[in-house]
Amino acid sequence: MVMTRELFPLVGVDIALFCVGDESLRVMLVRRAQAPHAKRWALPGGILKPHLDSSLESAARRVLAEKVSIELPLVEEVRTFSGPDRDPRGWSVSVLFYALLPLDKTSAVVKSKIEALEWADALSTDHKLAFDHSEHLSCAVQKLRAKVAADVLPLHLLPEKFTLRQLQRVTEIILGHPLDKSSFRRRLKESRDLVELDEYVRGPQRPAQLFRASESFSF
Amino acid sequence: MVMTRELFPLVGVDIALFCVGDESLRVMLVRRAQAPHAKRWALPGGILKPHLDSSLESAARRVLAEKVSIELPLVEEVRTFSGPDRDPRGWSVSVLFYALLPLDKTSAVVKSKIEALEWADALSTDHKLAFDHSEHLSCAVQKLRAKVAADVLPLHLLPEKFTLRQLQRVTEIILGHPLDKSSFRRRLKESRDLVELDEYVRGPQRPAQLFRASESFSF
DNA sequence: AGAATAGTGTCTGTCAGACAGTATCGC
DNA sequence: GCGATACTGTCTGACAGACACTATTCT
């Protein structure tokens, strides 16, 4: 069925799925199989299906379920993009979400045979993505950074148990600049978002104490 | 034309238009003339018209133009609300915006004969608005407060020239708590969002210096 | 002992709230 | 002068960065 967009806009969702790997912030890109913009890299996304979705966020989760086999802890709206020209099919609305994939769940990524997939450096600025997805990406990064800087911690990007050093590294990678160890620990100990565990990781040096997010924590 | 919402959701915008008056933060409410929810109070809103609107924000500005005869300096997205049940007409998406009406422009409000209009106290919690607009309103207030607290100033709610005392009152009204005069002035003088003028308002006491927003200011 | 990383203590500058004090108007 | 409001100066406590220091493991 073909329908002009004169009465109803196309409504879809796009997702910036972040993870941290290889000492950098990474975002999932997919190579589009179909027109429009076939063969170009884009953020994963899809059209809203009213008979399947109970909200835009659940549409985003449905789209993500095709890429990642676990339920993601955090899927949050960034903003909308809209207009008659951003999609060649006509007047369209895209609601952008971001989501976080914990470090130890990267094996949950579904390898598709029909679609190429890549974890691109989210902070490098020279992607030329399909549609207006380059702008989508920079908005999502900005929102993520604002959240992290506003003293909320990117715990969803870590495994359930982690050391303060790991948390600090992830925070530094997202913000793009180094943090002082002492002040970082001070803030964290006071924040009550963390619970100390009586467990330690052993390594070739002094063991590090493990922590987990407190029950009340919500990013 | 009647169409089920099985393929295309209804897409609309709603706006929380704020102003400050009578020592409180006020929001514009309209009494709905038509079903659904006829005769109930709601935020002003309307359906997206792809042939008229070049984006969701311009749809919001079009809706506002029916209520206020001036172009508003700030119209900004808050978030979306969506789902099959929030509007009895079927699956729908509402994109919420907020906008600010300067104090000295309240005369620009268009008095409609077919529609009742009210400036309600935005912080009182006992509105029972149509649809999910009560939740819309609290989200919009929260976003406005976050902006104002994050040291950005609600200059758009003031006339072009104003005294620091006026700015402080408006900020206090929005945040809901008093601020220290000295620290407030200190912040402001350093912020470079303000320009001092060589003008003073005379009254029954010491004259107060006038300020205006600097060119580079953007809320 | 030495290397390596975990974790602590302390100094210091910045900044915001509190609040008292000074300035300038009308009457 | 007095009341009222505009505006300033100073004290103080909270906090964050800098950085040196101690602690605990493995080899």
Side-chain angles (χ1 to χ4, degrees), chain A residues 167-186:
Chain A
L167 179 55
Q168 185 177 345
R169 278 305 294 143
V170 169
T171 308
E172 286 172 340
I173 287 168
I174 294 173
L175 294 182
H177 60 83
L179 298 171
D180 181 79
K181 182 167 51 163
S182 170
S183 346
F184 189 77
R185 301 177 76 89
R186 195 164 40 204

Side-chain angles (χ1 to χ4, degrees), chain B residues 62-95:
Chain B
R62 175 177 54 75
V63 169
L64 279 171
E66 297 162 13
K67 318 287 178 195
V68 177
S69 64
I70 56 161
E71 183 82 353
L72 292 165
L74 184 85
V75 176
E76 198 166 277
E77 181 174 334
V78 179
R79 49 161 287 204
T80 66
F81 295 81
S82 57
D85 303 320
R86 50 174 302 282
D87 187 313
R89 288 166 288 185
W91 221 107
S92 65
V93 176
S94 157
V95 183

Side-chain angles (χ1 to χ4, degrees), chain B residues 7 29 46 58 61 84 98 119 121 128 136 158 189 202 217:
Chain B
L7 276 159
L29 298 181
S58 70
R61 288 186 183 276
Y98 74 83
W119 288 99
D121 186 328
K128 285 166 194 154
H136 286 220
L158 288 167
K189 292 253 181 175
R202 308 178 71 81
F217 172 77

